[in-house]
Amino acid sequence: MTKTNTPAHVAIIMDGNGRWAQSRGLPRIRGHQKGVERVEEVIQAAPDFGIRYLTLYAFSKENWQRPREEVSFLMDLLARYLDQKLDEMKRNNVIFNTIGHTADLPGPVREKILRNVQETRTNTGLVVTFAFSYSARAEITDACRKIAGRVKAGTLREEDITEQTVADSLYTAGLPDPDLLIRTSGEMRISNFLLWQISYAELYVTDKLWPDFTREEFSRALESYQQRERRFGRTDAAPHAAS
Ligand code: IPE
Ligand code: IPE
Ligand code: MG
């Protein structure tokens, strides 16, 4: 992979853990365990590939509807991950960030999230944003409420609402839009992820299941991105990153 035209921001829908396990006759949770190793791998690879922002869909608001045992396993896994990876994130200059309704998460997990955010906030390297209890529609609805509240309070005039006002009211305020959206395990859908932000993202869907998404697979996705011609509605090719 060359270092020209690399995406500044890559978002990933990490799908296929359950199928990976089931195809081996294992319980679904073993797929989630294996998936954590790949999370680690992409976080380590991203800076080598010239990526500045990595946004990972870890748990959707809809995922609460899964069997109670699977949800509670995922929450335990998350708690352990947050404990185990803090030192490494600090060492690797990673800024840990989250989007979503983290208030829905169990108290101890929320505390660990806050701690990891606090303890990595002065880092200057890769910004890793985990989506937990995330729903893009909920995010947009929350943004509408925020904006309506400002109008009602008299601090914002209706005619001054711009696309930037909306962007700044989303959970992702301050992050550039993703240049590349990767989905593993072959599903051709967005599953309520970053609906506003991916307007002009390049899409890459691989049949590889998330526990098989190695550094090499990641590099393949980036090579595909580098061969794309981004136009943003124009007739000529535009520079690769949106901004
Ligand atoms: C993605 O893998 C992880 C989460 C959604 C938490 P899945 O658990 O959705 O795996 P499949 O899609 O059922 O194979
Ligand atoms: C999307 O995967 C959510 C995450 C990867 C966390 P799902 O497995 O929940 O999506 P659907 O149900 O296939 O659309
Ligand atoms: Mg799935």
Side-chain angles (χ1 to χ4, degrees):
M1 205 200 95
T2 56
K3 277 236 177 160
T4 51
N5 281 344
T6 50
H9 185 172
V10 176
I12 310 182
I13 302 175
M14 308 184 290
D15 197 20
N17 292 349
R19 275 165 281 178
W20 182 89
Q22 277 160 345
S23 72
R24 286 165 173 73
L26 300 169
R28 292 175 54 85
I29 55 170
R30 294 292 298 278
H32 297 315
Q33 258 168 350
K34 197 73 188 168
V36 174
E37 293 174 23
R38 295 289 93 79
V39 169
E40 197 46 39
E41 200 166 323
V42 291
I43 291 175
Q44 279 182 5
D48 300 341
F49 293 148
I51 295 162
R52 298 287 321 281
Y53 303 89
L54 184 64
T55 299
L56 303 172
Y57 204 3
F59 193 82
S60 74
K61 212 162 167 59
E62 291 75 24
N63 287 151
W64 292 109
Q65 298 163 58
R66 293 185 176 201
R68 205 159 43 92
E69 307 74 54
E70 182 171 344
V71 170
S72 87
F73 180 87
L74 282 166
M75 292 303 136
D76 289 347
L77 195 63
L78 175 54
R80 246 175 300 145
Y81 177 83
L82 293 166
D83 281 343
Q84 284 170 4
K85 299 298 168 189
L86 177 59
D87 283 344
E88 199 169 308
M89 286 195 181
K90 283 161 84 172
R91 244 193 345 266
N92 292 340
N93 203 16
V94 166
I95 298 168
F96 174 84
N97 182 31
T98 65
I99 51 173
H101 270 192
T102 46
D104 300 340
L105 299 168
V109 174
R110 286 205 309 270
E111 284 163 25
K112 291 174 201 295
I113 287 176
L114 276 175
R115 177 200 60 199
N116 290 16
V117 168
Q118 280 293 340
E119 295 205 17
T120 60
R121 67 188 307 164
T122 55
N123 283 350
T124 53
L126 179 74
V127 179
V128 178
T129 303
F130 281 91
F132 296 132
S133 195
Y134 176 87
S135 149
R137 286 188 168 184
E139 177 182 37
I140 293 168
T141 307
D142 283 349
C144 291
R145 282 209 197 97
K146 260 190 236 168
I147 294 167
R150 289 174 61 196
V151 172
K152 195 172 162 201
T155 56
L156 176 69
R157 293 188 314 174
E158 186 187 328
E159 56 271 34
D160 291 336
I161 298 172
T162 61
E163 290 188 5
Q164 195 59 47
T165 317
V166 178
D168 291 344
S169 307
L170 298 170
Y171 310 147
T172 51
L175 295 175
D177 287 340
D179 301 294
L180 172 65
L181 174 67
I182 297 172
R183 182 167 187 146
T184 57
S185 84
E187 308 302 344
M188 296 288 182
R189 55 179 176 253
I190 300 299
S191 302
N192 207 6
F193 193 42
L194 303 176
L195 294 180
W196 170 279
Q197 298 88 336
I198 59 166
S199 295
Y200 267 106
E202 293 294 322
L203 308 180
Y204 178 88
V205 177
T206 169
D207 284 335
K208 290 279 172 194
L209 304 171
W210 177 251
D212 293 324
F213 193 78
T214 55
R215 188 185 174 101
E216 289 67 40
E217 293 302 325
F218 194 13
S219 164
R220 218 161 271 161
L222 298 170
E223 275 163 19
S224 164
Y225 173 87
Q226 289 175 318
Q227 282 153 22
R228 312 278 181 95
E229 183 181 279
R230 299 187 81 185
R231 291 190 176 177
F232 301 100
R234 301 191 284 258
T235 51
D236 55 330
H240 249 64
S243 51

